[in-house]
Amino acid sequence: MTSLPLPAHHPALSASDPELAALVGAEERLQAETLRLIPSENYVSHAVLEASGTVLQNKYSEGYAGRRYYEGQQNIDQVERLAIGRAKALFGVDHANVQPYSGSPANLAVYLAFAEPGDTVMGMALPMGGHLTHGWGVSATGTWFRGVQYGVRHDTGLIDFDEVRDLALKERPKVIFCGGTALPRTIDFAAFAEIAREAGAVLVADVAHIAGLIAGGAHPSPVPHADVISTTTHKTLRGPRGAMLMCREQYAKPLDKAVFPGLQGGPHNQTTAAIAVALHEAGLPSFRDYAHAVVANARALADALLARGFDLVSGGTDNHLILMDLTPKDVPGKVAAKALDRAGIVVNYNTVPYDPRKPFDPSGIRIGTPSLTSRGLGTQHMAAVADWIDRGVTAARTGDEAALATIRAEVADLMAAHPAPGIPV
Ligand SMILES: Cc1ncc(COP(=O)(O)O)c(C=O)c1O
């Protein structure tokens, strides 16, 4: 049994399962007190948290609204229709499926809809910034299909569209994925669409990382260029852990069929409800401000890091994400990430393009501004953030634990002045 304090605002949980309640309380404190820089994370609103903890959890509803295999769907159908209608309006798409359990199953559904096992599929290589599910070897998408992979140029850190085009025309993939998980630059959806059209491939824009920026007008939209749009709902979009697939009407049937019954059983209705709430919030004027502030903060942070001699992949950022190669600082990414964690700054170690080190011990760290922007930090705070990272990385190299403790206290002070959404103080 843990000796951690019980969170008074979870009375039922604390009474029924104090061990678990104490861990939830500890995680709340950790998220409140630390500077969370992992670019795929965020703080959801209290409303999103509430929606994801409702009795909608109790309901089975295999099928789609109006076509279920279970009775008692009077409310569930409306919840799902609400989420779908909001997704369509927010992103300007013909069709939305809000049932995928998360981003990886959403992408798997795309393959199921448009490719046969053994077919060639194409995406960005994982070490270049792509996602596992874009045909990388250790993923089912790279073993059940023949994954061919493009990257970024060594000299610029940018996608080489001549290379992408040559590869697509040579390999004739059924599906081309664009988007990724460590891409600091704007994705040129129109350029990908032209290549996919020439190669006869279905173009999938995986906008998991940037969906909130697109919704808020801070990144160009993949509509009308992509045939299918895949996204998680829990990153910049600031919703619950889940995913959506959106597409033109002509692709709706195969996609829906691939999600259910192709891959999944009953949708997680409490998540669908929370997605609906997040989509409502993302349609508010304040969310446009948020999305633009995320980008402004990332640019200011990138500038401040460059001024301190950090090597940023592609030389900076256009979005919410910064990928740093720490080789010139003489500290491996993992050593830096673990030291920063001790300093109250949460990042993840990451490969950089053409990384000579192994993925589990790579050269870089990946950071982003969605979470700190959700707490109300602005460009005026980014010099301090860069300074903490700089001092933290130096302390990682010299083994200076006292310096890390000093940073941790400074971070906690700023965090206390900027309460995190959804976390009771
Ligand atoms: C671009 C991209 N696609 C898909 C996913 C997969 O999402 P999930 O972790 O929800 O399966 C991620 C997750 O990081 C991602 O970055």
Side-chain angles (χ1 to χ4, degrees):
M1 177 68 99
T2 169
S3 59
L4 295 165
L6 292 176
H9 49 276
H10 297 309
L13 186 59
S14 295
S16 150
D17 190 341
E19 190 172 11
L20 192 281
L23 289 170
V24 172
E27 178 62 21
E28 287 174 347
R29 281 193 300 284
L30 190 68
Q31 292 190 17
E33 289 167 6
T34 54
L35 177 61
R36 299 170 67 234
L37 292 180
I38 293 177
S40 48
E41 294 183 348
N42 213 329
Y43 295 98
V44 298
S45 69
H46 209 98
V48 168
L49 274 182
E50 271 187 14
S52 60
T54 57
V55 294
L56 300 176
Q57 148 76 30
N58 298 340
K59 194 70 196 118
Y60 241 110
S61 52
E62 281 182 4
Y64 290 102
R67 293 174 287 134
R68 306 280 190 190
Y69 291 81
Y70 293 73
E71 293 312 312
Q73 306 295 340
Q74 296 84 334
N75 305 308
I76 299 296
D77 275 3
Q78 292 188 65
V79 168
E80 191 166 315
R81 286 192 175 115
L82 206 52
I84 289 170
R86 289 176 181 175
K88 284 165 64 174
L90 187 66
F91 290 96
V93 289
D94 294 344
H95 181 78
N97 186 314
V98 295
Q99 293 194 5
Y101 297 145
S102 213
S104 303
N107 285 348
L108 206 49
V110 173
Y111 293 103
L112 186 60
F114 303 113
E116 300 285 330
D119 277 351
T120 300
V121 299
M122 183 166 148
M124 181 178 257
L126 178 73
M128 295 282 174
H131 190 257
L132 279 167
T133 56
H134 296 181
W136 189 244
V138 297
S139 152
T141 63
T143 53
W144 295 345
F145 304 96
R146 187 178 153 266
V148 296
Q149 309 265 271
Y150 57 88
V152 294
R153 285 175 60 115
H154 205 160
D155 53 348
T156 60
L158 302 175
I159 292 169
D160 180 340
F161 280 100
D162 291 334
E163 182 208 323
V164 176
R165 184 172 178 276
D166 289 349
L167 194 63
L169 294 183
K170 178 168 158 257
E171 301 288 355
R172 298 277 167 185
K174 285 275 177 58
V175 177
I176 297 178
F177 271 80
C178 63
T181 193
L183 302 181
R185 294 297 182 178
T186 301
I187 299 166
D188 188 344
F189 297 117
F192 274 108
E194 202 181 310
I195 292 167
R197 232 185 346 264
E198 249 187 289
V202 172
L203 178 66
V204 186
D206 182 345
V207 299
H209 263 262
I210 53 172
L213 305 186
I214 293 166
H219 187 290
S221 170
V223 180
H225 308 294
D227 300 307
V228 175
I229 299 166
S230 171
T231 186
T232 56
T233 47
H234 47 266
K235 298 184 172 99
T236 49
L237 194 55
R238 227 161 53 177
R241 302 198 78 87
M244 304 193 295
L245 287 168
M246 298 176 278
C247 63
R248 300 204 184 104
E249 199 51 54
Q250 75 197 89
Y251 298 111
K253 267 208 174 123
L255 264 187
D256 282 354
K257 220 173 123 207
V259 174
F260 175 85
L263 265 185
Q264 298 188 171
H268 296 177
N269 297 308
Q270 75 283 7
T271 300
T272 307
I275 289 174
V277 175
L279 291 169
H280 165 69
E281 292 176 354
L284 298 174
S286 56
F287 196 86
R288 287 189 83 77
D289 297 341
Y290 167 71
H292 287 280
V294 166
V295 174
N297 280 340
R299 288 206 173 124
L301 182 54
D303 288 345
L305 289 165
L306 287 169
R308 285 163 177 75
F310 280 91
D311 179 7
L312 309 188
V313 171
S314 83
T317 183
D318 298 327
N319 53 31
H320 64 303
L321 183 148
I322 296 166
L323 186 60
M324 298 192 245
D325 184 350
L326 294 180
T327 311
K329 297 282 181 185
D330 203 20
V331 188
K334 194 176 193 170
V335 173
K338 290 195 174 297
L340 288 170
D341 195 48
R342 296 198 291 285
I345 299 171
V346 189
V347 307
N348 70 274
Y349 55 88
N350 216 95
T351 52
V352 295
Y354 305 97
D355 203 328
R357 301 176 67 92
K358 297 257 180 308
F360 202 56
D361 185 17
S363 298
I365 57 174
R366 190 183 69 144
I367 62 174
T369 51
S371 297
L372 64 77
T373 309
S374 289
R375 306 181 74 131
L377 268 64
T379 50
Q380 71 277 21
H381 298 107
M382 294 307 113
V385 173
D387 190 52
W388 287 328
I389 293 171
D390 194 11
R391 285 159 53 200
V393 167
T394 302
R397 191 180 61 241
T398 56
D400 188 347
E401 290 300 318
L404 297 177
T406 304
I407 298 168
R408 189 174 187 106
E410 291 172 14
V411 167
D413 276 351
L414 187 67
M415 296 304 106
H418 295 271
I423 301 182
V425 180

